[in-house]
Amino acid sequence: MAVDYGLWRHGGPSAGLFPFAAAVLLLGAGVGSMIAAPDDAGGEPIAAGRFLRYGTVIALYPLLIAILGTLAATTLVFLVILRAIERQSWASAVTCSLLAAAGSWALFGYLLDVPLPRGLLD
Amino acid sequence: MDVFSGLIGGMGIALSPLNLLVALVGAVVGTAVGVLPGLGPTATVSLLLPISAMLDQTSAIILLAGIYYGAMYGGSLTSILMRVPGEAASVITCLDGYAMARQGRAGVALGMSAFGSFFAGIVATFGIALLGPAFAETALAFGPVEKAALVLFGLTLVAGIGEGPTVRAWAMVGLGLLLATVGVDLVSGEERYTFDTPQLRDGFNIAILAMGVFGMSEVLVAAEKISPPEPIAAVGRRLRDLLPNRDDWKASAGPIARGSGLGFLLGLLPGGGALIASFASYLMEKRLSRHPERFGKGAIEGVAGPESANNAAAQASFIPLLCLGIPSNAVIGVIMGALLMQGVTPGPRLVAEHPDLFWGVVASMFIGNVMLVILNVPLVRVFVMLLRVPQAFMTPFILLFCVVGAFSINNSLFDVSVMIVFGFLGYGLRRAGFDLAPLVLAFLLGTLLEQNARQALILGFGSPSVFLHSPISVAFLAAAVLMLSVPVMRRLVPVVR
């Protein structure tokens, strides 16, 4: 793609020169990394189920905000994380979720005037 | 008017009840803005422009300046406690500040950050009063050719910042440079890697990238743990136990002094400022250290130097504005707008035509820095108590901070999604053994390098020899070649022997 943008035009560098140089560096160093330390990656095993649940919630968070609004989406995300993933009691999960949602709304939405999304109800 | 009588007169202005109040408001608001990720000083100063217009010119600039350097104090807080940079200039503090917090030394990191910022603020204020105009003229010697050479030299240092093999750091440099090219090419107007997505036309925001690869990846690292995360080492309850001890001071004195000087100089350069100063200071401290392997694992020098540098740079950037009428970064640009709204044209005649404004603002910087250290140090104990929050509760709060912070930069859910994507990317790279600091730094330097190098080549009619016509450029390029050749020479010498 960088080449398509053009590397050198009208006696000077074009839009593609720097992306091309960066890509060459990335490719060269990437290959070099694999040769230099091929088995260095990995590390300790991971809790795949827990990671998948967290990852799903995080990936869905912006979508939930767009649909439900920041307040409801934050409450829901906190509830799911604290109750379903972190196995906290219902009482502490509900209290913390409501406090986090209300607190973030009060600070950013009210005090700092950030127009936090209100969802499809807006 | 000489410097001494100017400062005395300025003190009289800055100590008036109204100016003391606006300095306090600026310091408090700035600290809060620094703590909250996303909402940076540029946006806040812009929001407060109408309020500043109601004040007289000196009070208005004292308020806006207080917000700017107050943000430098506050920005380190979430970097140290959560690995989420509250302000772009505190990105580098995530590396060692957070590691220190995990070792139960959050109070030391926060304390040293506040004291270092205070010292740097005082040094920079003296610098502005004594040397400002002269240095500002020197800064004009840095055109696109010199700046491109300086940034290129900086990139050769970046590879040394990361953990692990240098070749991996270079891979991250390549990725950072590539990410920096996303968006509309400022020279040709051509869109690059935007895939017809309007939100990508302005490229990626450094704060979004940093929040993603540092903050969000931290959430994902916590999510993957089979066993509960290692508890944070016990921390004392008394303020005295939390603050830096004699050894910490000994280790930090040099970095604070060097960071203050370096930050001051870089703050003078157009296009420079707090962000670059903090990175440059970190690189310098790591290079100078006898134990560079400690960096990234809780080296106090990695907090003291950058935090001093960003505050010194924030204040020094007022020199090109007040003495030359050149805004060196976006925040200063908005403050310049405030000056123009007040009917004051910044430039070489400002000190002579508006001495009350110049010396009043300089004197208020002393007062503002004293206020900030008084506000911040006693609060260290309160901030450190946040670390007692169990990880199960802390993780969703970091997530919330990142999401709301990313949204508030441009009020865009697209930015939130981009931040999350960067989080997964950062997590994957961490798992693969790559260090993320070179990526973020190269991203920052990439835009500067491309803009300046292309301008330089246009000035030189496409001939790279333009870089050899300036002695400053030649010096930086020679230093870059030296930096690249030293590791090669080190490998070759034993082979030859």
Side-chain angles (χ1 to χ4, degrees):
Chain A
M1 280 178 81
V3 177
D4 292 341
Y5 296 136
L7 300 181
W8 199 270
R9 278 184 203 147
H10 312 301
S14 196
L17 183 68
F18 279 82
F20 180 75
V24 168
L25 177 62
L26 175 60
L27 196 68
V31 171
S33 301
M34 285 194 287
I35 295 167
D39 300 322
D40 203 22
E44 56 190 74
I46 66 167
R50 184 181 145 88
F51 180 78
L52 200 65
R53 285 197 291 274
Y54 250 110
T56 309
V57 171
I58 290 169
L60 288 176
Y61 199 174
L63 190 67
L64 287 170
I65 291 176
I67 296 168
L68 302 173
T70 313
L71 209 56
T74 302
T75 311
L76 186 63
V77 164
F78 263 67
L79 258 181
V80 171
I81 290 177
L82 291 174
R83 181 65 200 149
I85 305 176
E86 298 290 357
R87 309 278 181 214
Q88 298 297 314
S89 69
W90 271 109
S92 58
V94 170
T95 311
C96 188
S97 304
L98 291 175
L99 279 176
S104 62
W105 183 271
L107 181 61
F108 284 90
Y110 184 72
L111 276 176
L112 298 172
D113 219 15
V114 175
L116 294 174
R118 291 164 187 265
L120 294 178
L121 299 173
D122 202 3
Chain B
M1 189 185 282
D2 64 66
V3 171
F4 185 72
S5 55
L7 271 178
I8 295 291
M11 276 294 171
I13 295 163
L15 286 171
S16 74
L18 175 66
N19 286 336
L20 276 176
L21 180 67
V22 293
L24 181 65
V25 171
V28 172
V29 172
T31 305
V33 162
V35 170
L36 298 173
L39 199 77
T42 313
T44 312
V45 167
S46 309
L47 288 172
L48 290 181
L49 269 184
I51 294 171
S52 75
M54 292 179 224
L55 300 167
D56 69 79
Q57 48 189 234
T58 308
S59 305
I61 304 307
I62 288 174
L63 172 71
L64 301 180
I67 292 170
Y68 185 29
Y69 57 78
M72 298 304 123
Y73 274 75
S76 59
L77 183 66
T78 45
S79 296
I80 291 168
L81 298 180
M82 298 179 178
R83 211 171 187 245
V84 178
E87 216 282 317
S90 298
V91 166
I92 204 80
T93 310
C94 290
L95 303 182
D96 284 281
Y98 184 70
M100 285 179 73
R102 303 298 306 174
Q103 295 158 9
R105 283 166 53 78
V108 177
L110 288 167
M112 195 51 80
S113 161
F115 287 124
S117 296
F118 172 72
F119 178 81
I122 298 299
V123 167
T125 310
F126 268 115
I128 294 170
L130 295 171
L131 310 164
F135 267 117
E137 281 170 28
T138 311
L140 285 181
F142 274 72
V145 175
E146 291 77 13
K147 276 196 254 176
L150 171 63
V151 175
L152 198 65
F153 171 58
L155 274 178
T156 60
L157 294 174
V158 168
I161 197 176
E163 295 287 313
T166 310
V167 68
R168 290 194 166 203
W170 276 113
M172 291 298 94
V173 168
L175 183 58
L177 290 175
L178 199 57
L179 288 173
T181 64
V182 173
V184 173
D185 171 33
L186 291 178
V187 178
S188 67
E190 210 169 329
E191 287 187 20
R192 297 184 299 194
Y193 307 114
T194 58
F195 306 104
D196 293 326
T197 310
Q199 293 94 332
L200 284 178
R201 282 187 189 141
D202 288 336
F204 296 118
N205 184 298
I206 177 82
I208 298 281
L209 175 71
M211 266 190 263
V213 298
F214 289 134
M216 188 54 71
S217 74
E218 197 60 33
V219 171
L220 292 167
V221 167
E224 68 161 32
K225 301 282 183 200
I226 292 171
S227 51
E230 291 168 31
I232 292 169
V235 288
R237 283 181 186 273
R238 288 184 308 170
L239 183 61
R240 202 193 318 162
D241 299 334
L242 295 173
L243 292 177
N245 59 28
R246 203 171 155 184
D247 289 340
D248 295 322
W249 278 109
K250 209 172 151 187
S252 303
I256 288 175
R258 286 188 290 272
S260 303
L262 184 69
F264 182 78
L265 291 175
L266 289 175
L268 295 173
L269 297 177
L275 182 56
I276 294 171
S278 62
F279 275 105
S281 168
Y282 189 88
L283 289 168
M284 184 167 76
E285 291 310 323
K286 190 169 181 185
R287 284 276 163 197
L288 290 175
S289 175
R290 285 180 193 165
H291 302 285
E293 70 282 356
R294 285 172 44 246
F295 279 71
K297 294 171 186 159
I300 195 165
E301 301 93 316
V303 174
E307 282 299 317
S308 307
N310 68 25
N311 204 39
Q315 288 187 220
S317 55
F318 279 84
I319 294 176
L321 170 70
L322 296 175
C323 301
L324 295 169
I326 297 173
S328 52
N329 55 53
V331 192
I332 295 293
V334 180
I335 294 176
M336 183 173 171
L339 275 170
L340 294 171
M341 278 166 65
Q342 296 275 358
V344 178
T345 307
R349 301 283 309 149
L350 183 132
V351 183
E353 288 173 0
H354 301 279
D356 288 359
L357 170 67
F358 181 81
W359 293 110
V361 170
V362 171
S364 82
M365 288 177 176
F366 279 109
I367 295 161
N369 275 289
V370 173
M371 283 177 178
L372 280 163
V373 84
I374 292 171
L375 276 172
N376 278 273
V377 172
L379 287 175
V380 163
R381 202 165 71 95
V382 180
F383 296 144
V384 169
M385 279 165 65
L386 286 174
L387 293 174
R388 296 180 198 275
V389 177
Q391 191 69 35
F393 289 93
M394 189 60 119
T395 305
F397 271 103
I398 297 176
L399 171 66
L400 176 64
F401 241 54
C402 290
V403 167
V404 181
F407 179 83
S408 62
I409 291 173
N410 292 314
N411 300 332
S412 159
L413 274 177
F414 182 81
D415 281 353
V416 177
S417 305
V418 170
M419 186 271 299
I420 288 172
V421 170
F422 278 136
F424 280 100
L425 174 72
Y427 168 78
L429 289 169
R430 280 170 77 172
R431 284 286 303 175
F434 288 93
D435 191 83
L436 301 171
L439 186 158
V440 177
L441 182 49
F443 175 83
L444 168 75
L445 293 179
T447 313
L448 284 174
L449 177 66
E450 181 174 13
Q451 279 177 9
N452 287 299
R454 287 177 72 179
Q455 281 176 16
L457 286 166
I458 289 168
L459 288 172
F461 303 103
S463 169
S465 67
V466 70
F467 291 104
L468 303 176
H469 296 160
S470 156
I472 299 173
S473 163
V474 171
F476 281 126
L477 291 178
V481 171
L482 194 69
M483 289 303 301
L484 288 172
S485 54
V486 164
V488 180
M489 296 296 282
R490 274 186 189 156
R491 285 188 180 186
L492 284 179
V493 167
V495 173
V496 172
R497 277 180 186 167

